[in-house]
Amino acid sequence: MHSLNTNSCLPVWYLLEDEGGIIGCAGLITNDFISRMDLWPWVCSLYIEESYRGKSLGEQLLLKLKEDTKNAGFDNLYLCTDYVGYYEKYDFSYIGDGYHPWGSSSRIYRANLIG
């Protein structure tokens, strides 16, 4: 509720709906519980309901996140994940590993928004 009334550009949450039901979501946040506090904003919680997968809805969300991030004045967009092969299709490049407070690590990806 607090993020709805802030003057800050982050956090922002996106929902995909079909006939009033939520079928997908994603967020833009300042940090995704990862050790690289120097990098932001981050994509978080990209999810598409299983029965809606394969329809490029994840791609649509990522394109919207990139557009809004660029319009907010950022040059890059980051995400952390253990998935290999999905985000690379949408121009995210692996830049290294980051570490979570609970001791595990994740791959960090960057999408360059300039150009």
Side-chain angles (χ1 to χ4, degrees):
M1 292 300 296
H2 293 285
S3 66
L4 294 175
N5 298 313
T6 183
N7 291 328
S8 175
C9 64
L10 299 171
V12 180
W13 296 97
Y14 299 80
L15 298 176
L16 286 176
E17 295 181 324
D18 184 27
E19 298 182 17
I22 297 171
I23 61 167
C25 63
L28 284 175
I29 57 176
T30 57
N31 187 272
D32 199 11
F33 300 104
I34 197 85
S35 57
R36 294 295 307 269
M37 298 293 286
D38 58 314
L39 306 176
W40 61 291
W42 294 82
V43 173
C44 73
S45 305
L46 177 63
Y47 180 78
I48 303 296
E49 286 286 347
E50 197 168 327
S51 61
Y52 287 86
R53 293 178 188 170
K55 301 177 182 183
S56 300
L57 297 175
E59 177 183 20
Q60 289 179 29
L61 276 172
L62 287 171
L63 288 172
K64 179 64 173 162
L65 287 141
K66 285 180 174 183
E67 176 187 351
D68 288 357
T69 300
K70 185 175 182 176
N71 289 341
F74 294 99
D75 295 337
N76 296 292
L77 180 58
Y78 301 90
L79 61 85
C80 61
T81 186
D82 295 329
Y83 293 112
V84 176
Y86 179 77
Y87 294 100
E88 293 89 342
K89 294 186 289 187
Y90 307 109
D91 298 323
F92 282 86
S93 300
Y94 171 72
I95 62 168
D97 291 337
Y99 302 93
H100 299 286
W102 49 88
S104 65
S105 64
S106 288
R107 298 169 60 86
I108 297 174
Y109 288 83
R110 174 182 57 220
N112 184 318
L113 305 175
I114 300 172

